[in-house]
Amino acid sequence: MEARLQKVLAHLGIASRREAEEMIRRSRVRINGVLAHLGQKIDPERDTITVDGQLVSAQQRPALIYLLLHKPAGVVSTCDDPQGRKTVLDLLPKELREGTGIHPVGRLDAESTGALILTNDGDLTFGLTHPRHSIPKTYFVLVKGHPSKAALEMWREGIVLDGRKTRPARVRLIESLAENSRLEIVLQEGRNRQIRRVAQQLGYPVIKLHRTAIGLIQLQMPKAGFLNEGSYRSLKEDEIRFLQKQIKQIPIKDSAEVRRVEKA
């Protein structure tokens, strides 16, 4: 059955759907020996797919992998980096990072730390990064200064970024220090550098940002203990089911279509 090429590549675990689109744009993908184009429909059972000259087939699809990584500061949330910086894949052993199609789900800024999911399940990645997803993500944030009650309430109700108001957030003051404040923030969206930009706009710049949980998936496990910085673990069956349940109602569209929805 025919499907869009970027969806097929994601399903085969080659890359996330958006990364697959970038691979096509960079002329790294050929169908039956001919350079592929974005949006092209193919039949993976009949058409020959090559990526960087290497044959790709449904029979070669690797086993699905679901990991939780504790990202350290200074590591970028990409599969490779043109600037030569350390990536999250560099924290994995060779057998996991090569030939599996594993990639980060969403991003944490290079200077931010904490929970990050890695997988080679392209459909799951697409669902979790879709603008309609609403999995709560919990952050501990150290900001400069002492936010007023009014500022915290504005943060909770939403702030306009790029002409669009952010969704309501849970914002709780944990501790007031001599010059800074510790906050707990729970978001149900993941716009680019959202916490940092909102904090800056309100006049309380972020000093440190650490993500502790993605829904029920936490760095601190009741019985297993704390996942150390730079370490990873496999997601448990109930955690995988939780993620899959969250994306069931999300329509699977190509990112070009998603961008049109976001601009509407």
Side-chain angles (χ1 to χ4, degrees), residues 123-243:
D123 289 336
L124 182 69
T125 299
F126 187 78
L128 293 178
T129 54
H130 193 282
R132 282 182 56 182
H133 93 79
S134 57
I135 297 177
K137 295 174 182 165
T138 305
Y139 302 82
F140 284 167
V141 185
L142 180 68
V143 298
K144 186 176 181 180
H146 303 99
S148 64
K149 289 184 179 180
L152 294 177
E153 191 57 34
M154 289 175 64
W155 202 332
R156 294 181 186 111
E157 292 180 358
I159 300 291
V160 176
L161 295 177
D162 301 324
R164 187 159 53 95
K165 195 173 184 180
T166 59
R167 293 184 192 174
R170 298 205 301 270
V171 182
R172 181 171 67 91
L173 176 65
I174 298 175
E175 183 181 15
S176 289
L177 305 173
E179 298 181 355
N180 307 316
S181 300
R182 297 187 191 277
L183 306 174
E184 181 188 69
I185 299 174
V186 182
L187 299 182
Q188 289 190 295
E189 63 180 332
R191 293 163 64 176
N192 185 39
R193 296 177 65 87
Q194 180 173 331
I195 290 177
R196 293 182 183 275
R197 293 168 67 197
V198 170
Q200 185 71 40
Q201 190 166 310
L202 290 173
Y204 307 97
V206 169
I207 299 171
K208 290 183 180 180
L209 191 153
H210 177 73
R211 185 158 69 196
T212 61
I214 301 169
L216 57 73
I217 301 168
Q218 302 180 41
L219 293 177
Q220 177 74 52
M221 295 290 289
K223 295 182 180 179
F226 185 72
L227 186 64
N228 293 325
E229 193 172 274
S231 299
Y232 68 91
R233 66 171 175 84
S234 296
L235 293 186
K236 300 181 181 300
E237 287 297 324
D238 63 323
E239 294 174 325
I240 297 171
R241 287 195 298 270
F242 164 77
L243 294 176

Side-chain angles (χ1 to χ4, degrees), residues 244-262:
Q244 292 171 337
K245 183 179 179 181
Q246 300 304 308
I247 68 169
K248 276 188 176 179
Q249 303 305 316
I250 296 175
I252 299 299
K253 299 180 181 179
D254 294 317
S255 65
E257 297 175 83
V258 170
R259 283 192 289 270
R260 287 198 294 270
V261 171
E262 288 180 317

Side-chain angles (χ1 to χ4, degrees), residues 5-124:
L5 176 57
Q6 51 265 44
K7 181 179 179 180
V8 172
L9 290 173
H11 183 71
L12 293 176
I14 304 303
S16 71
R17 199 169 305 197
R18 290 188 177 93
E19 288 172 336
E21 290 174 359
E22 188 60 28
M23 292 166 69
I24 296 167
R25 290 191 186 98
R26 293 184 180 182
S27 302
R28 295 174 58 189
V29 184
R30 289 179 177 266
I31 304 300
N32 303 321
V34 180
L35 277 178
H37 61 267
L38 203 59
Q40 180 176 354
K41 288 190 174 183
I42 68 161
D43 184 341
E45 299 298 327
R46 294 189 304 170
D47 294 313
T48 301
I49 310 168
T50 57
V51 177
D52 297 332
Q54 299 296 311
L55 182 66
V56 174
S57 72
Q59 289 71 34
Q60 295 173 313
R61 181 177 182 177
L64 291 176
I65 302 168
Y66 305 91
L67 304 177
L68 177 68
L69 174 76
H70 185 165
K71 190 189 91 64
V75 177
V76 293
S77 301
T78 57
C79 295
D80 54 64
D81 182 62
Q83 300 177 40
R85 293 172 295 179
K86 192 172 188 177
T87 75
V88 290
L89 295 197
D90 292 326
L91 300 173
L92 305 179
K94 185 176 180 179
E95 61 268 21
L96 280 178
R97 69 173 181 264
E98 295 183 5
T100 63
I102 198 166
H103 51 266
V105 179
R107 294 188 178 186
L108 278 173
D109 300 327
E111 60 269 35
S112 299
T113 62
L116 184 70
I117 292 172
L118 304 177
T119 186
N120 58 355
D121 186 335
D123 289 336
L124 182 69

